[in-house]
Amino acid sequence: MTLNENRGMRLSERIRYVGVNDHQTELFERQWPLPYGVSYNSYLVVDEKVALIDTAAAQFADEFFANIKSEIGDRPIDYLVVNHMEPDHSALQAAVRKEYPACVIVTNAKAAPMIEGYQGITDNIKIIKEGESLSLGEVSLQFFMVPMVHWPETMVTWCPDENTLFSGDAFGSFKAVPVGVIDSKSDIFADYQDEMTRYYASIVGKYGSPVQAALKKLNGLEIKRLC
C-alpha cells in the first residue's frame, strides 16, 4: 500500500475522510495482534467553517496533514472536535494547534484536563455539554456523552444535516481500510466481521452496560451513515 492511499476520500461533499492506515504496528496497545493493520479514522466537515474530528497516531503526522491539505488546501481548520483521548485518536492535537493556531478545541469537561495532561494545551478550548450544538454554517454538529465506551470522557458527534454519526470507538474494528471503502458499495462488512468481533470482545465488550446505555441514548437519531 502506498503512503497516501486514503488521500482525497469524500464520503459526501461536506464530509471527507482524512485518516491513515497503520501497517507497521504489530500489537494494538501492545496486547492484540494486528495481522491486517489498523486505521486511525479522522474526518473533516467542510462548510463556512471547517471542523476536524479526531486526529491520528503521532508517527503518521506527515501523511495525516497531507490528507487534510488535499481536501481543504490552505483553508484553516476552525474547530478540532475531541471525541476521545486515547493516543490513536488524540496524539496530533498539539500538532494541529501548531499548524492552525486559531483552531478552537471542542470537547467536554472530562476531556479538557486530559488534553492539558497529554498535550499541554490549556487555551482556546470550548467546553460543550450534553446535546449542545455547534454551527458550521449551513450544517451543525451536536454532541452526546457516551461515558465508558470505553473511557470516561468519551463522546460522539452527530451531524443531523448529513444524518451522520462520528462514533469513535463505539463501532471500531481492527483491520486497515482499503482505498475508498464504503460498505454500501461492497461486501465489506463480511470482510471485516471477524475483526470487528475480535475488536469488540477485546476492547469494548467488558463495558456492556455503558454500551447499552449509549445505544439507548442514540436510538432516536435517524442515522444513515456511521463514521
Side-chain angles (χ1 to χ4, degrees):
M1 294 189 177
T2 60
L3 176 66
N4 298 316
E5 61 182 345
N6 284 332
R7 193 173 292 180
M9 185 169 164
R10 296 194 176 192
L11 303 183
S12 72
E13 183 57 33
R14 291 191 178 99
I15 297 176
R16 326 284 178 83
Y17 178 78
V18 291
V20 298
N21 284 343
D22 181 355
H23 291 282
Q24 303 171 17
T25 303
E26 295 182 357
L27 294 175
F28 188 74
E29 298 180 354
R30 300 184 180 181
Q31 296 183 67
W32 295 284
L34 294 172
Y36 312 107
V38 70
S39 294
Y40 306 124
N41 299 320
S42 177
Y43 302 88
L44 291 169
V45 183
V46 181
D47 199 357
E48 295 172 21
K49 300 284 188 178
V50 176
L52 174 65
I53 300 176
D54 289 332
T55 65
Q59 66 266 39
F60 296 94
D62 290 346
E63 183 178 353
F64 178 66
F65 284 107
N67 290 346
I68 291 172
K69 297 286 187 182
S70 74
E71 288 299 331
I72 61 172
D74 293 329
R75 285 192 65 179
I77 290 175
D78 301 283
Y79 301 106
L80 169 58
V81 176
V82 177
N83 279 334
H84 184 32
M85 278 302 297
E86 277 195 290
D88 55 327
H89 297 251
S90 69
L92 295 175
Q93 290 170 1
V96 170
R97 176 60 68 79
K98 182 178 180 181
E99 184 74 18
Y100 303 98
C103 174
V104 176
I105 293 177
V106 179
T107 195
N108 60 75
K110 289 184 178 179
M114 299 173 75
I115 293 172
E116 179 180 3
Y118 284 26
Q119 299 286 318
I121 299 172
T122 58
D123 65 311
N124 217 10
I125 297 177
K126 178 178 175 60
I127 303 298
I128 53 86
K129 297 179 181 179
E130 175 75 29
E132 187 172 344
S133 292
L134 175 71
S135 175
L136 301 181
E138 293 185 8
V139 304
S140 62
L141 301 176
Q142 190 176 16
F143 309 99
F144 297 98
M145 309 303 140
V146 289
M148 297 314 300
V149 186
H150 54 115
W151 274 21
E153 86 301 349
T154 307
M155 69 181 192
V156 296
T157 299
W158 168 240
C159 183
D161 310 275
E162 292 268 341
N163 297 98
T164 297
L165 183 70
F166 299 94
S167 58
D169 280 342
F171 295 91
S173 177
F174 298 130
K175 192 172 183 179
V177 297
V179 182
V181 60
I182 300 174
D183 65 3
S184 62
K185 295 185 178 180
S186 68
D187 192 27
I188 199 69
F189 181 80
D191 292 340
Y192 278 75
Q193 191 166 7
D194 287 347
E195 288 298 282
M196 290 173 70
T197 301
R198 189 167 70 91
Y199 174 89
Y200 184 84
S202 301
I203 308 296
V204 185
K206 60 186 174 182
Y207 303 103
S209 294
V211 168
Q212 291 301 315
L215 291 172
K216 184 177 180 180
K217 175 184 288 190
L218 303 174
N219 185 52
L221 303 180
E222 190 181 349
I223 300 171
K224 296 182 178 178
R225 181 188 294 124
L226 281 168
C227 292

